[in-house]
């Protein structure tokens, strides 16, 4: 599977653009704030149906325009597919080969994004790490998304109930339990899935960390669950009083964390800057490997300004990895010279100036 | 004086899904179309609140009280199907497979929308059960988080009465092909599989 061509209209700062891609390596260069990342963002939108920078798609429409288009031609094993996303202020519409469809009728296009912000993930809040893992598992597991949605729904209902000042305590106690059974039902699935997938991921992560870092330390993105599967209902019951007091649900996978560790020491407290970068890179490569194992297919890579983030040791490994990578790659950089010559044997490059792509 | 057109546009604009442009289009349509159309509409609107009532037994919307299901003795009063909305009654009626009576809750529990048990027709259901003793109550609320919580609430409330309580099954739609089903529907159907005779 690869992206043959892309056409954009009124997307962010890009008034109009048509790009026809190389099967393997595509580079967008240019100064900052010219629109390089916007192109990656449009590809991400075509794959996942949403942006990686914005929750609300309306911000993707160019300033003072009412409508934006993202259209792509994909080469699939079963033939060519044209997919279009039309964004208007009112709604987002998706089309497959010219016919209106719901986005889940698109052939799934696996994608892995490398963004400079990701190193922050290790230092960020548990919420950010949960969002990262959820985003990954939604793509890997067929059942995860629906259980996550229903779990969050029940949780929000229960929290709202706990916060309601008008309902007497005894009545609250009665109604709290109504939302507990869906929380246990769907939450148990989340715990099981997180456990299983993190186990798989960690096996791979540890290998990559050793290779990239030339370091014998054992690297883990350890799943630290708030409650064990078998004890979910009993702990939930035991905490009811405290929950009424604190007006929030305290038990369940919504309070899980994932802890980046080297030899069981938390990396955000004890790790060096270099160790954190190596860890992040190893994590992303593990993500790719998981896709390959589960889908039997390499994901498309979106590399947003990654080269500037790598030091010599890591970039040597990363570029040799890219050279032998079989699926399509899209990268942004401030200059083409940041890529080693070996990487640029078969490629196409554009310079982006004020939202307009110029071929090299 | 406000023009009658402006007045109508303003009134129509309050309907869900109708913006000012649509309201204007509708108003001018009614002005130009044969008078009978506007007349029929205005009469239908006038009758709406005068003639539509809630049945004092099942809380369904009806043109008489008690409604056609609760009176006349043609329906099985031993079987009560509890639904969220009046439109659910129409949906079940279309099947022609249900001969019992209904109870309409007018919503589902949802703290997010500020809806608690006292906002639903729950007390009406309890009052009803004081006089009559049905054999079975079918909880036919929606198969989502709120519908399930509402059913669970009712099941707990009604259990002491000793009546048989059932929940609508969820799973594969008739004529549905497995490959097109979403994962959770399919796993629900697997869970609720039954013995074949």
């Amino acid at each position: 599977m690869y992206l043959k061509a892309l056409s954009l209209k009124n997307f962010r700062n890009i008034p109009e653009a048509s790009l026809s891609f190389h099967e393997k390596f595509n580079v967008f260069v240019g100064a900052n704030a010219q629109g390089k990342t916007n192109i990656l963002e449009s590809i991400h939108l075509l794959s996942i149906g949403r942006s990686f920078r914005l929750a609300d798609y309306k911000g993707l429409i160019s300033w003072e325009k009412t409508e934006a288009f993202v259209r792509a031609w994909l080469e699939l094993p079963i033939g060519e597919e044209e997919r279009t996303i039309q964004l208007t202020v009112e709604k987002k519409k998706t089309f497959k080969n010219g016919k209106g469809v719901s986005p889940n009728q698109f052939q799934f296009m696996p994608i892995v994004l490398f963004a400079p912000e990701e190193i922050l993930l290790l230092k960020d809040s548990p919420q950010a790490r949960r969002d990262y893992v959820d985003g990954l598992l939604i793509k890997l597991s067929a059942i995860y998304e629906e259980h996550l949605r229903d779990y969050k729904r029940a949780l929000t209902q229960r929290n709202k109930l706990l916060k309601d000042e008008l309902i007497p305590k005894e009545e609250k106690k009665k109604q709290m339990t109504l939302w507990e059974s869906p929380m246990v039902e769907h939450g148990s699935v989340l715990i099981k899935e997180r456990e299983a997938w993190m186990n798989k991921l960690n096996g791979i992560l540890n290998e990559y960390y050793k290779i990239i870092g030339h370091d014998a330390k054992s690297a883990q993105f350890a799943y630290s669950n708030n409650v064990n599967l078998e004890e979910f209902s009993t702990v939930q019951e035991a905490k009811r009083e405290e929950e009424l007091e604190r007006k929030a649900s305290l038990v369940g996978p919504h309070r899980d964390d994932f802890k980046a560790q080297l030899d069981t020491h938390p990396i955000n407290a004890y790790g060096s800057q270099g160790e954190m970068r190596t860890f992040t890179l190893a994590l992303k490569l593990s993500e790719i490997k998981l896709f390959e194992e589960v889908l039997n297919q390499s994901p498309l890579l979106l590399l947003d300004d990654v080269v500037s983030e790598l030091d010599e040791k890591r970039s040597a490994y990363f570029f040799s990895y890219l050279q032998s990578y079989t699926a399509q790659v899209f990268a942004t950089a401030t200059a083409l010279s940041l890529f080693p010559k070996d990487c640029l044997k078969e490629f196409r490059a554009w310079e982006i100036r004020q939202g307009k792509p110029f071929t090299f | 004086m406000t023009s009658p057109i402006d007045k109508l546009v303003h009134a129509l604009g309050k309907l869900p899904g109708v913006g000012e442009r649509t309201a204007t289009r509708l108003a001018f349509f009614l002005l130009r179309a044969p008078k009978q159309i506007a007349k029929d509409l205005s009469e239908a609107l006038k009758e709406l609140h005068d003639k539509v009532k809630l049945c004092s037994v099942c809380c369904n919307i009806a043109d008489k009280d008690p409604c056609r299901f609760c009176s006349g003795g043609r329906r099985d009063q031993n079987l009560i199907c509890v639904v969220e909305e009046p439109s659910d009654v129409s949906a079940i009626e279309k099947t022609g497979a249900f001969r019992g009576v209904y109870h309409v809750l007018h919503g589902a529990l949802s703290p997010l929308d500020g809806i608690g048990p006292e906002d639903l027709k729950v007390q009406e259901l309890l009052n009803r059960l004081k006089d009559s003793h049905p054999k079975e109550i079918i909880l036919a609320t929606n198969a989502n988080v709120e519908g399930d919580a509402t059913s669970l609430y009712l099941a707990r409330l009604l259990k002491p009465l000793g009546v048989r309580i059932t929940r609508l099954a969820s799973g594969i739609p008739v004529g549905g092909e497995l490959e097109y089903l979403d994962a959770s529907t399919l796993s629900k159907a697997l869970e609720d599989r039954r013995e074949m005779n």
Side-chain angles (χ1 to χ4, degrees):
Chain A
M1 162 183 290
Y2 75 98
L3 202 57
K4 282 164 87 172
L6 176 74
S7 138
L8 302 171
K9 199 174 176 204
N10 296 336
F11 186 83
R12 292 253 194 202
N13 78 334
I14 304 168
E16 202 153 12
S18 281
L19 303 147
S20 115
F21 294 127
H22 193 274
E23 209 173 320
K24 293 200 70 175
F25 201 53
N26 299 279
V27 190
F28 311 104
V29 300
N32 287 325
Q34 299 299 306
K36 305 187 295 286
T37 306
N38 295 346
I39 294 175
L40 297 192
E41 192 178 21
S42 73
I43 298 172
H44 192 272
L45 180 74
L46 283 164
S47 152
I48 317 284
R50 64 188 148 74
S51 149
F52 56 82
R53 293 194 288 186
L54 263 188
D56 184 5
Y57 70 85
K58 283 181 203 118
L60 302 176
I61 305 170
S62 299
W63 188 244
E64 291 186 330
K65 292 283 189 278
T66 52
E67 190 177 64
F69 270 102
V70 180
R71 179 171 293 147
W73 290 265
L74 280 84
E75 187 63 40
L76 303 174
I78 46 164
E80 196 186 84
E81 176 181 306
E82 183 207 87
R83 63 171 71 165
T84 306
I85 298 185
Q86 179 193 13
L87 308 168
T88 63
V89 187
E90 290 91 28
K91 58 183 154 206
K92 186 167 80 181
K93 280 191 200 164
T94 47
F95 302 86
K96 178 175 158 181
N97 298 326
K99 293 186 205 86
V101 294
S102 84
N104 54 22
Q105 277 174 280
F106 285 150
Q107 183 81 20
F108 178 57
M109 176 165 97
I111 228 164
V112 171
L113 166 78
F114 288 63
E117 313 74 271
E118 276 170 326
I119 185 164
L120 299 173
L121 186 69
L122 306 183
K123 299 180 186 175
D124 211 328
S125 65
Q127 173 76 56
R129 285 185 288 277
R130 278 194 300 273
D131 288 347
Y132 164 74
V133 171
D134 284 345
L136 183 60
L137 297 202
I138 282 171
K139 289 179 255 170
L140 289 168
S141 151
I143 57 170
Y144 196 81
E145 187 166 21
E146 290 161 51
H147 288 286
L148 182 67
R149 183 197 59 206
D150 284 353
Y151 179 80
K152 284 189 172 167
R153 184 81 191 163
L155 171 69
T156 331
Q157 292 283 22
R158 192 170 183 267
N159 283 342
K160 183 80 187 176
L161 180 74
L162 288 169
K163 284 191 178 74
D164 199 318
E165 306 286 349
L166 297 172
I167 302 173
K169 195 174 166 189
E170 280 313 305
E171 184 59 31
K172 265 192 199 178
K173 269 190 183 169
K174 233 193 266 170
Q175 290 188 35
M176 272 165 86
T177 61
L178 298 174
W179 307 103
E180 285 166 18
S181 68
M183 277 178 72
V184 172
E185 181 193 339
H186 301 293
S188 298
V189 178
L190 299 185
I191 297 172
K192 269 189 248 172
E193 290 282 295
R194 283 177 183 176
E195 239 161 31
W197 286 103
M198 292 324 276
N199 246 332
K200 250 188 214 168
L201 179 90
N202 277 322
I204 305 167
L205 172 71
N206 198 22
E207 291 295 307
Y208 273 127
Y209 186 85
K210 285 195 168 77
I211 299 170
I212 306 167
H214 303 290
D215 187 342
K217 286 198 187 101
S218 149
Q220 294 287 297
F221 197 47
Y223 179 36
S224 152
N225 46 341
N226 168 268
V227 64
N228 285 329
L229 209 52
E230 309 76 42
E231 297 162 357
F232 199 161
S233 324
T234 45
V235 178
Q236 200 171 41
E237 208 179 313
K239 289 256 184 182
R240 273 184 209 143
E241 280 299 327
E242 194 187 337
E243 291 181 319
L244 276 164
E245 203 61 43
R246 290 174 54 183
K247 298 184 173 38
S249 301
L250 304 173
V251 185
H254 63 287
R255 292 173 81 93
D256 283 351
D257 196 1
F258 303 87
K259 297 199 161 99
Q261 298 173 337
L262 290 177
D263 283 343
T264 70
H265 300 303
I267 198 168
N268 55 0
Y270 297 101
S272 70
Q273 195 68 15
E275 282 174 327
M276 277 195 237
R277 287 184 196 282
T278 303
F279 191 100
T280 314
L281 182 58
L283 187 62
K284 296 312 287 188
L285 297 181
S286 311
E287 224 179 280
I288 299 172
K289 185 87 178 167
L290 266 185
F291 273 113
E292 289 172 338
E293 284 180 6
V294 174
L295 305 166
N296 236 338
Q297 175 187 6
S298 294
L300 269 64
L301 302 187
L302 302 180
L303 313 177
D304 191 15
D305 205 18
V306 172
V307 281
S308 63
E309 288 288 310
L310 298 169
D311 64 12
E312 226 169 285
K313 193 163 76 177
R314 279 176 288 270
S315 67
Y317 179 82
F318 187 60
F319 286 126
S320 74
Y321 178 92
L322 277 189
Q323 264 180 64
S324 57
Y325 194 67
T326 50
Q328 203 175 14
V329 179
F330 300 89
T332 69
T334 44
L336 206 54
S337 57
L338 289 167
F339 294 92
K341 288 218 166 55
D342 291 341
C343 237
L344 300 175
K345 278 176 190 150
E346 290 179 279
F347 76 109
R348 204 162 288 163
W350 292 262
E351 190 187 343
I352 314 293
R353 276 196 305 261
Q354 293 179 333
K356 291 196 184 76
F358 299 92
T359 35
F360 261 65
Chain B
M1 201 190 84
T2 338
S3 93
I5 285 278
D6 288 346
K7 218 170 133 187
L8 182 59
V9 169
H10 184 70
L12 288 169
K14 286 181 181 166
L15 300 176
V18 179
E20 202 182 312
R21 262 181 66 173
T22 313
T24 312
R25 227 180 61 220
L26 291 173
F28 278 98
F29 167 81
L30 288 167
L31 184 67
R32 290 187 193 121
K35 266 188 191 160
Q36 193 59 35
I37 291 180
K39 213 176 142 217
D40 289 348
L41 183 67
S42 69
E43 267 165 28
L45 287 175
K46 238 190 249 167
E47 283 179 1
L48 189 66
H49 280 282
D50 292 342
K51 295 208 175 153
V52 174
K53 304 177 173 61
L54 286 196
C55 168
S56 58
V57 183
C58 70
C59 303
N60 193 11
I61 48 170
D63 42 15
K64 59 175 189 182
D65 184 19
C67 73
R68 64 191 171 98
F69 301 116
C70 296
S71 62
R74 294 175 51 173
R75 308 285 294 216
D76 183 358
Q77 306 284 331
N78 277 318
L79 199 54
I80 299 180
C81 181
V82 181
V83 296
E84 290 181 17
E85 300 293 344
S87 53
D88 299 334
V89 172
S90 321
I92 295 175
E93 277 306 295
K94 270 192 202 137
T95 68
F98 182 67
R99 298 302 305 151
V101 291
Y102 295 96
H103 191 86
V104 183
L105 294 170
H106 291 269
L109 291 179
S110 174
L112 277 175
D113 304 303
I115 299 175
E118 66 286 350
D119 301 304
L120 304 175
K121 305 286 181 193
V122 173
Q123 196 52 48
E124 285 82 349
L125 179 62
L126 289 176
N127 291 344
R128 186 177 175 183
L129 295 174
K130 271 182 205 153
D131 313 325
S132 66
H133 300 281
K135 290 197 182 111
E136 181 177 345
I137 294 176
I138 305 170
L139 300 175
T141 53
N142 289 338
N144 53 25
V145 174
E146 289 76 16
D148 285 342
T150 309
S151 277
L152 184 61
Y153 175 81
L154 290 175
R156 284 184 188 163
L157 195 68
L158 301 176
K159 212 175 172 189
L161 302 178
V163 58
R164 179 174 185 230
I165 297 163
T166 53
R167 175 93 173 101
L168 221 56
S170 53
I172 306 170
V174 177
E177 291 173 43
L178 290 194
E179 58 172 324
Y180 296 120
L181 281 187
D182 63 280
S184 74
T185 306
L186 199 50
S187 62
K188 197 90 185 159
L190 264 174
E191 231 171 77
D192 296 346
R193 68 188 182 278
R194 56 170 191 207
E195 199 86 38
M196 278 189 78
N197 298 317

